[in-house]
Amino acid sequence: MPVIATAGHVDHGKTALILALTGVDTDRLPEEKARGMTTDLGFAHFEGGGLTVGVIDVPGHERYIRNMAAGAWGADGALFVVAADDGWMEQSARHAALLRAFSVPILVLAITKRDKVEPGRVEAVAGDVWARLCDLGAGRAGEAALGRAWRPAA
């Protein structure tokens, strides 16, 4: 079974995205519920095209970077999440660097919180993030895997 891990800055919507995609709330600890913040690894799965895919939801806060690393290091690919209202943030860079170090390709770039910004902002953030990922070498494997399916607006 292939496994994907989330990656991205705290409060960018990784857990909410996994809930929307799988129906599983990966924040299961009382502390996570009380704080509204992922502190430990969460797990879900989905099925599509006859394939079951495991999902590891990782924390985005800098205090829990070791947990992020534990969840991401063995993943087959990553779902990189960036909020449209914040754009690239400090933990975005750290998570991208870890994915690169672990040779985990970024297969999907998800821009969340699109409803909080003007449409042009979404394209600008997506283009900026993709350029940063490619500059870090983190987006190249994912780009090859996706066949360059997504391209920022010219």
Side-chain angles (χ1 to χ4, degrees):
M1 170 174 58
V3 175
I4 61 170
T6 60
H9 195 76
V10 64
D11 288 334
H12 277 203
K14 295 178 296 297
T15 302
L17 182 58
I18 297 307
L19 176 61
L21 292 173
T22 68
V24 175
D25 181 0
T26 56
D27 278 352
R28 66 204 188 303
L29 302 174
E31 174 188 351
E32 292 174 321
K33 299 288 188 194
R35 295 173 72 183
M37 181 176 72
T38 302
T39 61
D40 203 359
L41 302 177
F43 304 92
H45 73 279
F46 64 90
E47 299 197 23
L51 185 67
T52 300
V53 178
V55 179
I56 302 173
D57 185 24
V58 306
H61 192 280
E62 66 183 334
R63 184 180 305 154
Y64 305 108
I65 194 72
R66 289 184 176 123
N67 290 4
M68 183 281 179
W73 78 269
D76 298 302
L79 170 60
F80 201 86
V81 180
V82 178
D85 57 342
D86 282 343
W88 187 266
M89 301 288 284
E90 184 177 353
Q91 289 305 106
S92 305
R94 289 182 178 162
H95 284 208
L98 281 173
L99 293 172
R100 171 87 166 102
F102 298 151
S103 298
V104 175
I106 295 169
L107 300 177
V108 177
L109 171 58
I111 306 299
T112 58
K113 302 186 180 186
R114 299 163 69 103
D115 58 323
K116 296 182 182 252
V117 299
E118 296 297 319
R121 170 80 176 156
V122 173
E123 282 295 320
V125 168
D128 175 61
V129 170
W130 194 250
R132 289 174 188 257
L133 291 173
C134 288
D135 285 348
L136 290 170
R140 288 185 173 84
E143 184 176 315
L146 288 173
R148 305 191 103 236
W150 178 86
R151 295 177 195 265

